[in-house]
Amino acid sequence: MNKMNIHRYLPVLLLLICAAVVTAQEPTPTPKLNLMPVPASVQFHNERLPVDSSFRVATRGYADARLTGGISRFMRRLEGRTVLTFAPGIAPDDQTTPLIVNCQGPGQNIPAVGENESYRIDITSRQALLTAPTVIGALRGLETLLQLLDADRNGYFVPGVQIEDQPRFPWRGLLIDVGRHFQTMEVLKRNLDAMAAVKLNVLHWHLTEDQGFRVESKKFPKLHQLGSDGNYYTQDQVREIIAYARDRGIRVVPEFDIPGHSTSWLVGYPELGSAPGPYTIERRPGIFEPALDPTREEVYKFLDTFLGEMAVLFPDDYLHIGGDENEGKQWDRNPAIQAYMKQKGIKDNHALQAYCNTRLLKILQKHKKKMIGWDEILQPELPKDVVIHSWRGTAALAEAARKGYDGILSNGYYIDLIQPASQHYVADPLPANSTLTPQEAKHVLGSEATMWAEWVTPETIDSRIWPRTAAIAERLWSPRTVADVPDMYRRLAVISLQLEELGLTHRKNQDMMLRRLVRNDDIGPLRTLVSVIEPVKEYRRYEQRPQTMLSPLTGVVDAATPDSETARKFSWMVSEFLNDGPRFQLYRAELSEMLAGWQTSGAALGPVIDRSPALKEIKPLAQNLTQLGETGLQAISYLKLNMPPPKEWRETSIAKLDEASKPYGALEFVVVSGVKQLVNSAAELKE
Amino acid sequence: MNKMNIHRYLPVLLLLICAAVVTAQEPTPTPKLNLMPVPASVQFHNERLPVDSSFRVATRGYADARLTGGISRFMRRLEGRTVLTFAPGIAPDDQTTPLIVNCQGPGQNIPAVGENESYRIDITSRQALLTAPTVIGALRGLETLLQLLDADRNGYFVPGVQIEDQPRFPWRGLLIDVGRHFQTMEVLKRNLDAMAAVKLNVLHWHLTEDQGFRVESKKFPKLHQLGSDGNYYTQDQVREIIAYARDRGIRVVPEFDIPGHSTSWLVGYPELGSAPGPYTIERRPGIFEPALDPTREEVYKFLDTFLGEMAVLFPDDYLHIGGDENEGKQWDRNPAIQAYMKQKGIKDNHALQAYCNTRLLKILQKHKKKMIGWDEILQPELPKDVVIHSWRGTAALAEAARKGYDGILSNGYYIDLIQPASQHYVADPLPANSTLTPQEAKHVLGSEATMWAEWVTPETIDSRIWPRTAAIAERLWSPRTVADVPDMYRRLAVISLQLEELGLTHRKNQDMMLRRLVRNDDIGPLRTLVSVIEPVKEYRRYEQRPQTMLSPLTGVVDAATPDSETARKFSWMVSEFLNDGPRFQLYRAELSEMLAGWQTSGAALGPVIDRSPALKEIKPLAQNLTQLGETGLQAISYLKLNMPPPKEWRETSIAKLDEASKPYGALEFVVVSGVKQLVNSAAELKE
C-alpha cells in the first residue's frame, strides 16, 4: 500500500482487522489473480466489496455518453454473470454507492497514439473507486473490475485491492484480414468487444487483397462492385465500426495494400495495372504478380482521389499502405516501366517501390495522414515521419528505431500460423536484451497480432484469434517481468470463458462443427481425437490440403484449434508421473484413464468415419490415436510393475510413434512426445 | 411410381436392377426419410445419385437473381456439410449435370397468400431434376434436396426418389415479438433462414408493444426515439429484412398493436392516450391499461399518417393491427370518452373497439392494405375482407370461417409456453372432426407459431423457437395424416442439427450459458441436471421468479430448454423395462447408469453451487436429482431381485417424488412420473 495514503486507508485497515477477526474460522486464501493483462501494480487487502442486487455505479467529475455507455455495458455484463437485476441508470454519488467512477476528462475525441489509458482502482469493503484521467482510462478500469469479480457461498464480490495501471506500449493491435475471407459486421463487433476486454487499442483493418476489395468507394465504385463478390462494407458500415471501436477506446487503422496484393483493384480498373489484364479476383492463397504501375501519373491521380476519399472516411491519424511482398515481376516484363526506370535512373524494383512510396507519402501528407507500411517500405530516402510495421522481426524494428523511425512489430504474433500462446507470449517488441537507448526504444510503439484470413470464415475466425490473442495483449500492456507461462495459461482459461459473454464463438462452435461432420449428436470419440491434435503449423496446411478461397472451411482441420489444453495437461502429468519413479504412482490413474480413452475413441471412430465421408481424411489419425493410447498404457504398465519390456518392444513402439507423428488431413498429434517419454522411460528400466 | 411415366423411368429401372446386382452383397435398407415437413407424396427407387466434387447445378427454363441466389446458398450449404469444393456458378444444362432446376416462371413479385409453392423432384442415378412452376416452389424443393443428402462409406449421395409436393395451408407463419425484448438483425436473418429450411412462409413481425416501439417512423420520430431505448429498426433495416425474406419466399406481415398494448407509443405522444399521462416504457410483463383514445379525430389522423407511412414501407398485402387484450379501463375512467359513447349510442367497450376497428379498416383500405387482427376484432358489423387471427382456438376460427371470414390460428402454437413439440404437433387449424364445409374450410388459411418475448434475448430466443417450430411447420405443410409422433421426434433431432448450419444457437448456447453459471469448464453435473428439468410451463415462470424486461436472462431457467430429449428417452426405457417383467432385463443397464448419473451429479453440484451464488436457486433441485436417482435405483434393484420392498418404502419413496415434483427457480423435473412408475411396480411385487 502506498504509504503516502495511509491516512486514507486507516479506516479500511481497521475494518480489515475486524474482518479478519470475523472470518477467522474461514481463512481467506492468498487471492489468485485472474487479471489479464496483469496490471502494473496490484496490492490486496484482506476484505471484499459485495456485489448484490443493490449494486450501482455513480460518476464523479467528468462524464459523457461514451463513459455512461461503457458503464451501462459493464452493468449488463455484471448482471449476466450474477443473474442479478440492478437498478437501471447512473446512481447518485454518495457514501453508499458501491462503485464510483471518477473521470477527469474526455481524453482525445478520436482515439490516438499516446492517449492516456491509465487508471486506478481502490476497493474497500464499503466502496470501489475507479479514477482515471480520461474516459478511455476509465473504460480500461471497468474491464479490470469485471475480471476482479469473484464469488463464494456468501455471494458475489470484488476483492479489496489497490491497482495502479497503465500500458507498457501505446500501440496494441489486432489485424483482421477481411480481404481473403470477408468477415461480417457481427464478427468485427464481437472482436472489438473482446479486444476492449483485454485492453487492445488498435483494429488494423486489412481491407484490400488480391482476393477481395472490401470497402465501398463512391469515387471509384468498380473497386467494390467488381472486386468483392458483393462482400464489402458500405461507408455507413465503416462509420458504424469506427464509432463502435471509438466507444471502446479503440483506434481503427485502415490498410489499402499497394502496389502489390492489388489484383482485386484491377478487376474494375485494369488500366492501373503493370500488365494489360483483364484481371479476375484471385481465389488461391499465395503471392501474386499483379501490381499497380508506379510509373504512370494517372495511377497517382487515382490514388490521390481514392486515398483522399478514404482519409475522410477513416479519422485515425494513420493510414497503412501495405507495400509488402511485391516481387515486381509485372514491372520486369513491362517495357514502358523498364524505359521509365532507365530514364529516371531507378536502378531496381526496390528503388521503384521506394519512388512509389515517396509519391504516396506526399499524397498522404496532403490528406493529413501519417503513413505506415510493412518492412519493405523502409528505403534510404524515406522521411522519418513514416511508421515501419515489421513482419521481419525485432532486429529490423530495432534497426528502424536506431534510424529514428517509429515502428510496430508483428513478427512473433502471426496468430494464423497456429502456434501456441506460449510462443507468442515470449515474443517481445522490446526484448530484455535490446541494445536500444531509452530514446531509441521510444520509437518502438508496440505490436499487432495478425489474423491473416486464408483459412478462416465467420464460423471459425474467433477460434483462431481467441484466447491466444489475450496472451499477446498482456505482453503489450503488462510490465516485461510478467512472464510466468503456467500462470498465463491458468488465467487464459478463465478469460477464455469470460470472452464468451461477448458473443465470441471460439468455444461453442467446435461442438457444432463436430456434430455437422458426424451427422449426429454422438461426437464424443471425435471430440477426444480433436482434443489432442492441432492443425499443422506455419504454411503447411495449404501444401498438405490445398483449397481455394471459395472452399468450405468446415473440415476437421477447421474444427480443431491451436494450443491444445489437453496436450498441455497430458505433458505435465507425464512429467510428474515420471518424476515420481520408481514409485510411478502420481497421476497414474489419470494418465491411464486418458490413454484408455484414446484407445477406445480411436476404435469407436471407425464406424463414425464410415458414415461420414468428410471424415475419411482422418482415418489414419483415428488408428494412430488407438496406437498412442495402447502404447502409452503398455509403457505405464511396465513402469508400474518395474518390469523391463522385451527388447523389441521399444523399437516397435517408437515405430508406431513415428507413424503417429505424421500429419493427415493437415492435422497432427501434439501428444506424441509425451508418449515417447513414457516409452523411453519404460525401455530404460533395469532388470 | 407414377405409371404414366413408366416409359420415362424405364432406363432408370434397368440401371436400378444393375445397381441391385452390383450391391447385392450390401443390401440397401429401406430408406428412412429425414424430411421435415414430409412431402405430399414420396416414392423411392433403389438407386442413388452421388454428390461428389463434380456436383453442379444448371437451370432450365426461367431463372432470375432470386433463383440463382437460392442455388448459390444451396451449394454453399452442401459444400459445408460434405467439405467438398464445387465449381462455382451455374453449370451448362446437359445430360451430365447432376442437378437441373427447371422453373417455369418467377411467381409473384412480392410473396403473397396463395403463391404456388409446389415442386417436383425426380432423382435417378444419373441426374436430379427439380421442377417448379415458380421460383418459390424451386426454393422449397432445394430445401428438400438438402434434407435428402445422405452418406455411407461410398460417399455422399441423394437417394433415388420421386417427390410431388405442395403445402396444405397457404399461411404458415412465425410471429417474433421484438417489442418486449428487442432482437438483432442477425437473429431475424438466421431465423428467416431456418423458416425457409422448414418451408414456413410468413414472418409476423410484432413490432410494437407496451415495452417497446421498434420501427423508425420518419413522420412521428418520437415513437421510436422515446419508445425504444434506442433499440429499433431503421427503415433501411426493415427493407433489408423484407428483401432477405423475399429472397427466401417469405412474406413479412408487420403488426402495430392498437388500441391497447400501446404504452410505448404514448411515451412520445401522450396526447393520443385515453388518460393524460405522462407515460414511460413499461418494464413489467402483463396486460396494461394504456390505450389510444378511439373517440378523437386527431388519433385517426395520426394513425392515417403513421399507417400510411408503414403501408409504403411494408409491401405485403396485409397489415396486422393487433386489437387484443384491451380491457378499456382507461376508457371507463375518461369522462370525455364516456360522454362520446353516450352521444353516439356506443353501448360498451367492445362496441367502442369495434367502432375503432371500422375506422381503422377504412384507413387501411385507403392505403391498399387488408386488415388482420386478433379474435377480439371480430364484431358483428365487421366487413368480410378482414382476417381473424385466433389465439382463442379452432372453434373461434371455425365460427369466423362459417361467417365468411378468412382466419389463421395461433392457439396451440404458443411456443413461448415451453410445451413439448408433440403438443403443438397435434394441434390442427382444420382438425379431422371439423364440421366446416369444403367451401368454409378454405377460409382457414393456416397458422402462426408465436414467439412472445417476455423471457427471451438474442442469446436464448433460438432455443425457444427451434427445433419445436419445425414440427409446427410440418403440421401446416404436410397432409393431415402425417401424424406419427415418435417419427416426428426422430426426424426433429436430425433437422435440429441441420438448422445449426444456418447460424442458429439453439444447441450451442446452452453449454456456454452453463459455463458462465458454473464459472469454469466443469459443467458435467449441471448439464445432467439441466437435461431432465424444464422451465415451468404456461405463465408460471413470472409467478415463481419475477423479473422485468431489463433483467438478465442468464439463469438456469434460461439455459434449460423445453421438450427434454433425455426425459423422453428415460420414459421410453422405463416402459420397455417394465414391460419386460418379471425378467426386468431390457434397458436395465442403461436405466441404472442414467439413474446413477443423477445420483452422483446431484451430489457433485453441492460444491459447484457453493462457488456460484447464481446457482443457489437450484440447490433443492440438485438434492432432488440425487433422490430421484437413488429412488429409481432402489426400485430397479427390488424389481431385478423380484423382492418386494419393505412396506414403508413405497410411502417414503412417493414422498420423495412428491418433493421432487415441486418447482424451484421456475424449473421442474420432467422425469418424476417415470421414476414413480418404477416405484409403483416395485411396490406391487408379490412375496
Side-chain angles (χ1 to χ4, degrees), chain A residues 528-534 564 566-567 598 625 668-671:
Chain A
T528 298
L529 173 64
V530 164
S531 75
V532 292
I533 56 180
E534 292 178 7
S564 159
T566 307
W598 298 354
L625 182 64
E668 59 193 356
F669 282 101
V670 283
V671 288

Side-chain angles (χ1 to χ4, degrees), chain A residues 49-57 70-86 98-99 128 142-150 156-158 498 501-502, chain B residues 516-517 550-554 614:
Chain A
L49 177 70
V51 175
D52 56 29
S53 58
S54 70
F55 189 84
R56 298 203 68 186
V57 184
I71 291 172
S72 166
R73 292 194 304 276
F74 165 85
M75 295 287 273
R76 295 302 286 179
R77 286 164 68 192
L78 212 51
E79 286 181 311
R81 291 187 201 174
T82 59
V83 201
L84 295 167
T85 302
F86 304 143
L99 171 60
L142 287 170
E143 295 292 347
T144 302
L145 279 165
L146 279 166
Q147 293 185 352
L148 283 171
L149 181 73
D150 203 347
Y156 291 98
F157 65 91
V158 282
Q498 289 173 5
E501 80 191 8
L502 302 167
Chain B
R516 183 171 53 205
L517 282 163
L550 299 177
S551 298
L553 301 184
T554 53

Side-chain angles (χ1 to χ4, degrees), chain A residues 526-556:
Chain A
L526 183 56
R527 199 201 268 145
T528 298
L529 173 64
V530 164
S531 75
V532 292
I533 56 180
E534 292 178 7
V536 291
K537 311 208 180 323
E538 296 173 346
Y539 298 100
R540 290 189 291 140
R541 173 178 169 150
Y542 180 70
E543 291 161 25
Q544 294 181 14
R545 195 174 172 279
Q547 286 185 306
T548 76
M549 297 304 119
L550 299 176
S551 297
L553 302 184
T554 54
V556 182

